[in-house]
Amino acid sequence: MDASTSGRFIRTSKMAVTAVCLSSDDRMAYSVSKDGTIFAHDLESGKRTKFNWQRTEDNAHEEVGKAEWMKRKARSISKNALLAVAISSDDRYLAVGGGDNKVHIWDPTSRQYIRSLGGGTGHKDIITGLAFRDGTHQLFSCGADRAVKIWSLDDMAYVDTLFGHQSEVLAIDVLRQERVVSSGHDHTCRVWKIAEESQLIFRAYGMAVDCCKYITGTEWVTGASDGSLAMWSQTKKRPTSVLRRAHGYPNPGLGPVNGQVANSLNGHAAAAEESSPSFTTTDAEPVGAGSVGGDAASWIGAVGVCKGTDLVASGAGDGVIRLWQVADGKVGKVLKELGGLPARGFVNSLQFSKSGKFLVAGMGQEQRLGRWTRDGAAKNGLLVHQLNLKPQSPLGGQE
């Protein structure tokens, strides 16, 4: 794999970009930010279009009384902030959500507002994640009210609520199967079997699990606030591999990526297997873009997976987007370091193009869910890195 050493930056909102999604043809990128703006970016021409959002009674925020445990404290978010965005696989619907506790539905082609979903059956606190099931208009949402909700956009209606998380749900992902993975502040990942109306609980070793992405229908990767990057399998209750401080080198953004720095819990480093990799990098070290340093810089805020391949990306605030290969280990899948891409600021979202030709990162001066640290030297916007992937056979088939 050859990667551009300096990506193309697209300036967007005044505040941090919190989430990004791509259209099915990889031509358009849609971003949302903490100031409540939605942008559509033509990645070929570079043209940027802002969605015109007129607040009405249908989409206005409603203040409601909340129980003590639901009052936002450290993760205080503006009611106008947007924290999640997702687009259906046929590009018919664009869903956004955030601080007003509602899911807002748009037509991404005409950029016309359709309606909001919520009210009495909706979330009772901020919405932190959205995901469409591939090939359908079934939408899943998660929020700080500990709930995962199911919506049908064919009927524009609420379907069901999934309970189980004991604290804020921070991320959600789904492929084609009716199996959804979510992660949260209760130190767990949960796989929801929708048809069977059951759930599987997987407990993490460390702190809050801030992000999760499916690799195959039974395997996924997570990033946590303690800087650990973990591989999971549906057949094991604990991670098959954990990289401690995957973004936590002494000099963030400047340390070697191909060194044996991050150790895994299964007794060997992620790069221990010497099988010939599907991806290679020409540079021995990433080009770091600098960082504010401290523990906040190692907090993994986003992970991305290139569907149908063994390529994974993770982002924090250390100045480098790390690239990993999913490889076979002694007791399951592990992550092998490949290289890095410069990225100044906090990486709040990562999306690979379906073609595998580029990687889009949503960047900000602050983390997605709070204002614990601010990097004044960073910019708010999208960072696009071009990739050149070598042909390979798919990893275990894509669901």
Side-chain angles (χ1 to χ4, degrees):
M1 177 193 68
D2 297 325
S4 59
T5 56
S6 59
R8 177 165 60 101
F9 190 84
I10 304 173
R11 194 71 178 262
T12 57
S13 52
K14 295 180 180 180
M15 299 185 70
V17 173
T18 54
V20 178
C21 68
L22 298 176
S23 61
S24 59
D25 59 4
D26 292 339
R27 293 186 57 186
M28 301 297 295
Y30 300 92
S31 66
V32 296
S33 63
K34 283 187 175 183
D35 57 10
T37 56
I38 309 172
F39 279 100
H41 311 268
D42 189 319
L43 297 178
E44 293 183 357
S45 66
K47 183 180 178 181
R48 180 186 70 176
T49 305
K50 183 179 179 180
F51 282 51
N52 184 21
W53 195 343
Q54 297 293 333
R55 294 286 179 177
T56 65
E57 291 184 0
D58 178 55
N59 61 37
H61 175 78
E62 297 178 1
E63 283 291 341
V64 295
K66 295 182 179 179
E68 180 65 27
W69 66 268
M70 291 176 60
K71 292 181 180 178
R72 294 192 294 274
K73 297 180 178 66
R75 292 180 181 272
S76 181
I77 295 294
S78 166
K79 63 185 180 183
N80 292 322
L82 294 175
L83 303 175
V85 63
I87 190 170
S88 59
S89 53
D90 61 356
D91 297 335
R92 183 175 177 181
Y93 296 115
L94 182 76
V96 300
D100 68 351
N101 312 345
K102 295 181 180 180
V103 178
H104 300 278
I105 309 301
W106 293 77
D107 181 334
T109 303
S110 64
R111 297 184 296 280
Q112 294 296 312
Y113 185 80
I114 298 176
R115 62 163 298 171
S116 66
L117 300 173
T121 57
H123 286 279
K124 307 304 181 187
D125 208 334
I126 62 174
I127 294 173
T128 55
L130 293 167
F132 278 99
R133 186 160 71 91
D134 288 349
T136 74
H137 294 149
Q138 189 177 38
L139 177 67
F140 295 87
S141 63
C142 65
D145 58 353
R146 312 181 185 182
V148 172
K149 292 186 179 288
I150 309 174
W151 311 86
S152 171
L153 295 198
D154 289 326
D155 303 319
M156 288 294 167
Y158 161 83
V159 176
D160 198 5
T161 299
L162 308 177
F163 293 106
H165 279 284
Q166 301 301 304
S167 188
E168 301 159 310
V169 190
L170 302 177
I172 193 167
D173 194 30
V174 62
L175 296 180
R176 183 173 290 272
Q177 280 187 324
E178 283 191 295
R179 296 202 175 185
V180 181
V181 62
S182 61
S183 62
H185 204 262
D186 57 357
H187 305 188
T188 68
C189 296
R190 294 172 190 254
V191 172
W192 307 89
K193 299 181 178 181
I194 306 303
E196 296 89 338
E197 296 184 349
S198 63
Q199 60 179 290
L200 302 176
I201 303 175
F202 303 84
R203 302 194 182 279
Y205 288 101
M207 301 173 65
V209 185
D210 279 62
C211 47
C212 61
K213 281 288 184 181
Y214 265 123
I215 298 175
T216 67
T218 58
E219 296 171 326
W220 65 95
V221 61
T222 61
S225 57
D226 62 355
S228 62
L229 192 66
M231 276 289 304
W232 300 80
S233 171
Q234 196 168 291
T235 61
K236 297 182 182 297
K237 289 295 186 179
R238 291 287 189 173
T240 59
S241 174
V242 177
L243 296 174
R244 299 290 193 187
R245 294 184 62 81
H247 286 256
Y249 296 107
N251 297 308
L254 300 178
V257 160
N258 293 325
Q260 304 294 331
V261 178
N263 296 321
S264 65
L265 289 182
N266 57 7
H268 61 282
E273 294 294 322
E274 295 298 332
S275 57
S276 56
S278 302
F279 299 94
T280 58
T281 180
T282 55
D283 297 326
E285 297 183 359
V287 180
S291 167
V292 292
D295 291 338
S298 63
W299 186 328
I300 298 179
V303 291
V305 173
C306 189
K307 290 187 177 181
T309 74
D310 57 4
L311 182 61
V312 173
S314 63
D318 65 337
V320 178
I321 297 172
R322 311 275 173 177
L323 301 178
W324 313 85
Q325 179 196 356
V326 180
D328 292 325
K330 293 180 180 178
V331 296
K333 298 293 186 181
V334 296
L335 294 172
K336 176 180 178 180
E337 292 180 283
L338 293 178
L341 304 169
R344 181 62 191 252
F346 292 97
V347 182
N348 293 324
S349 181
L350 287 169
Q351 287 289 334
F352 282 98
S353 64
K354 294 174 180 62
S355 62
K357 293 182 179 180
F358 59 88
L359 172 65
V360 179
M363 306 297 301
Q365 294 179 331
E366 302 169 348
Q367 296 100 325
R368 181 173 76 103
L369 294 174
R371 307 187 68 178
W372 297 278
T373 305
R374 185 177 183 274
D375 188 347
K379 297 179 181 179
N380 301 313
L382 299 186
L383 180 62
V384 183
H385 277 287
Q386 298 295 323
L387 305 173
N388 183 18
L389 307 185
K390 296 179 180 179
Q392 67 160 81
S393 58
L395 174 68
Q398 180 64 41
E399 291 290 327

